[in-house]
Amino acid sequence: MVDDQQPAPVATAIGNNTKAAHRARDRAGSAQPHHSRDVSAPDVLDTEPVDLDRLERDLDGLERDPLGGTAPQNDLLAPDQLGPHRLGTESLGTATSPPLSWTSRRFTRRPRVVVIEGPEHSTGPDRLEEELDIVARLCAPPDLASLREVLARWRPKMLLLKSSLDEVDYWLLTSCIARRVQVWVLARPAYGLLGSTSLHRFGGVPWLQLRWPGQDLWAASVKRGIDLALTLLLAPLLLPLMLVVAAAISLDGFPLYFQERVGLGGRRFRLVKFRTMRKCAERDTGPVLATPGDPRLTPLGHLLRRLRIDELPQLWNVLRGDMSLVGPRPERPELIRTFDAIPHYDLRHLIRPGLTGIAQLTGGYGAGVEDKLRCDLLYVACRSLRLDLKLLGLTFRELLRGFPRG
């Protein structure tokens, strides 16, 4: 509204121009009617007298509608159309606030957020509503069906996890990935050592953003390009060795062995490798993990396993996109069913499996399932192109040393 004590800038400008025009006309001769023109008078632009009543009506209209009637009427919201996602409330229901114009919605909209907090959280009430639009608060661990319903209904931008990182599992992450929802965890003292790529403050406290494969499309494309380039470069050099090994295994049967494994996103694929075990080796034992000095191996299979030559045919899986050169080793679905009780085991399936990885370089065949999982999740969290090149170099060095860890 225009201040009653001071003249409006528009009215002041119009009044000044009018006074200047009247002074010029007076100098030209006040006796002449303003609609006539004296050729001897100074060449001053003649103006019509200002209608003060009309000017006041125009200024009143400007105060009532600053946009001059240009605001779209169909973009206004009725009170019953304003949900809690507009007002930043925590519970579901209907708001009773007055409708917001399109201009206020444009400049005051806040990102929608889902908050997950456990009963053990004892830091007191937060101030997230001051900056964010809280559409729902869920207890940890959240029910998967309820979480998916909230994500589908409100389409939030972020999910804030106030409880421990232990509440983050494969299904929570994949549900957020499918909806393109960012996952942030409340930063605790030890979390600062993780070196997160993104740190932000919401509600006066710091939050760390979790990242997952696919967020950096450029890095994923470069990694895939490196896989293809190195595979095509090594294939001609390794092909003679692979032909010799295949001929030696053929003396005792078919040289190649195909096996179903679980890869990216839990999808199954057929892995190919050189056969190192006797025929019908699992008839009595069933599917079991390989161990150092496995009695099911053939004499030639012991050598191939020790030098990891039996894995060379998996370069074909790398070309197909089933695997990568570096990543967690793919496991058989029969074995994965027995690992369901291990927390966070499914997180290995967030990325493509690989020919080599941290677990293979540190523990070899003698490492236990939980030790391998710890190494695999470490790679999932810290993966980078630089780390991949370093692991490939270490694999080549261990290959020359004959993998002394087994």
Side-chain angles (χ1 to χ4, degrees):
M1 298 294 293
V2 179
D3 193 353
D4 295 333
Q5 303 300 325
Q6 296 182 359
V10 177
T12 303
I14 295 177
N16 293 338
N17 292 338
T18 303
K19 292 178 182 179
H22 280 296
R23 285 196 300 269
R25 189 167 57 243
D26 291 338
R27 287 195 300 269
S30 58
Q32 299 180 1
H34 95 274
H35 61 270
S36 63
R37 187 173 183 134
D38 187 2
V39 295
S40 63
D43 190 12
V44 178
L45 181 63
D46 199 3
T47 60
E48 295 182 0
V50 178
D51 189 345
L52 296 181
D53 293 336
R54 180 180 179 182
L55 178 60
E56 291 180 359
R57 289 195 301 270
D58 292 341
L59 290 178
D60 291 339
L62 183 63
E63 294 176 2
R64 290 192 300 269
D65 187 5
L67 298 178
T70 59
Q73 297 298 323
N74 57 358
D75 199 42
L76 300 180
L77 296 178
D80 58 348
Q81 293 176 317
L82 286 173
H85 61 288
R86 299 291 184 190
L87 306 176
T89 58
E90 301 179 14
S91 60
L92 304 181
T94 302
T96 58
S97 299
L100 299 177
S101 68
W102 72 280
T103 52
S104 60
R105 285 171 54 200
R106 179 180 179 184
F107 296 107
T108 62
R109 178 179 294 176
R110 298 175 296 177
R112 301 177 187 175
V113 173
V114 174
V115 180
I116 297 180
E117 50 188 356
E120 76 283 356
H121 187 71
S122 58
T123 59
D126 54 54
R127 297 180 301 151
L128 296 175
E129 289 82 359
E130 298 177 3
E131 306 175 30
L132 305 172
D133 191 355
I134 310 298
V135 299
R137 290 180 180 265
L138 304 176
C139 293
D143 177 68
L144 181 59
S146 301
L147 175 63
R148 288 178 174 175
E149 181 182 357
V150 169
L151 297 181
R153 179 178 181 182
W154 299 110
R155 297 183 180 181
K157 181 179 180 181
M158 297 181 293
L159 184 144
L160 302 184
L161 185 68
K162 296 173 64 176
S163 57
S164 171
L165 266 177
D166 292 336
E167 306 299 340
V168 178
D169 58 10
Y170 174 79
W171 301 110
L172 184 147
L173 288 181
T174 52
S175 299
C176 292
I177 292 174
R179 297 286 179 179
R180 299 183 179 276
V181 178
Q182 302 174 7
V183 179
W184 296 73
V185 295
L186 183 62
R188 300 173 186 268
Y191 292 177
L193 303 177
L194 298 177
S196 175
T197 57
S198 182
L199 175 66
H200 198 79
R201 292 180 66 88
F202 300 120
V205 292
W207 299 81
L208 295 172
Q209 183 180 10
L210 301 185
R211 63 186 186 124
W212 50 72
Q215 285 184 309
D216 193 343
L217 297 180
W218 179 86
S221 300
V222 172
K223 177 178 174 63
R224 179 60 180 159
I226 293 177
D227 288 342
L228 294 176
L230 291 180
T231 301
L232 295 175
L233 180 64
L234 293 175
L237 302 177
L238 297 175
L239 185 58
L241 174 62
M242 296 172 64
L243 292 176
V244 172
V245 173
I249 299 176
S250 298
L251 299 177
D252 188 32
F254 192 71
L256 297 179
Y257 182 71
F258 296 89
Q259 197 173 66
E260 191 177 54
R261 299 292 179 99
V262 179
L264 174 64
R267 293 188 295 268
R268 301 185 182 187
F269 67 95
R270 294 190 68 191
L271 178 140
V272 57
K273 60 185 300 184
F274 284 129
R275 183 174 58 85
T276 57
M277 294 187 180
R278 304 187 309 270
K279 294 180 181 179
C280 304
E282 295 183 341
R283 176 181 301 173
D284 299 328
T285 62
V288 294
L289 290 172
T291 58
D294 199 322
R296 300 172 297 173
L297 298 176
T298 63
L300 180 59
H302 278 285
L303 178 62
L304 298 180
R305 281 280 185 94
R306 186 61 181 254
L307 299 178
R308 304 300 194 271
I309 297 177
D310 62 321
E311 314 288 358
L312 291 181
Q314 294 169 32
L315 293 174
W316 170 249
N317 293 111
V318 175
L319 287 176
R320 284 173 46 87
D322 300 327
M323 298 176 57
S324 177
L325 291 178
V326 181
R329 288 295 298 166
E331 290 293 352
R332 301 168 64 177
E334 299 87 354
L335 297 177
I336 290 179
R337 294 191 191 101
T338 65
F339 301 153
D340 288 340
I342 302 178
H344 312 306
Y345 188 85
D346 288 334
L347 293 178
R348 301 172 72 255
H349 302 146
L350 288 175
I351 61 177
R352 283 191 180 94
L355 277 172
T356 185
I358 299 178
Q360 286 67 44
L361 295 174
T362 56
Y365 289 109
V369 177
E370 294 185 355
D371 293 333
K372 290 181 179 179
L373 177 62
R374 188 177 297 110
C375 295
D376 293 339
L377 296 185
L378 176 63
Y379 175 77
V380 172
C382 304
R383 67 195 180 280
S384 65
L385 299 178
R386 180 180 179 181
L387 179 60
D388 284 357
L389 295 177
K390 183 176 181 179
L391 292 176
L392 288 174
L394 292 175
T395 301
F396 182 74
R397 188 189 70 176
E398 292 294 304
L399 179 63
L400 297 179
R401 297 174 56 189
F403 284 92
R405 294 183 179 86

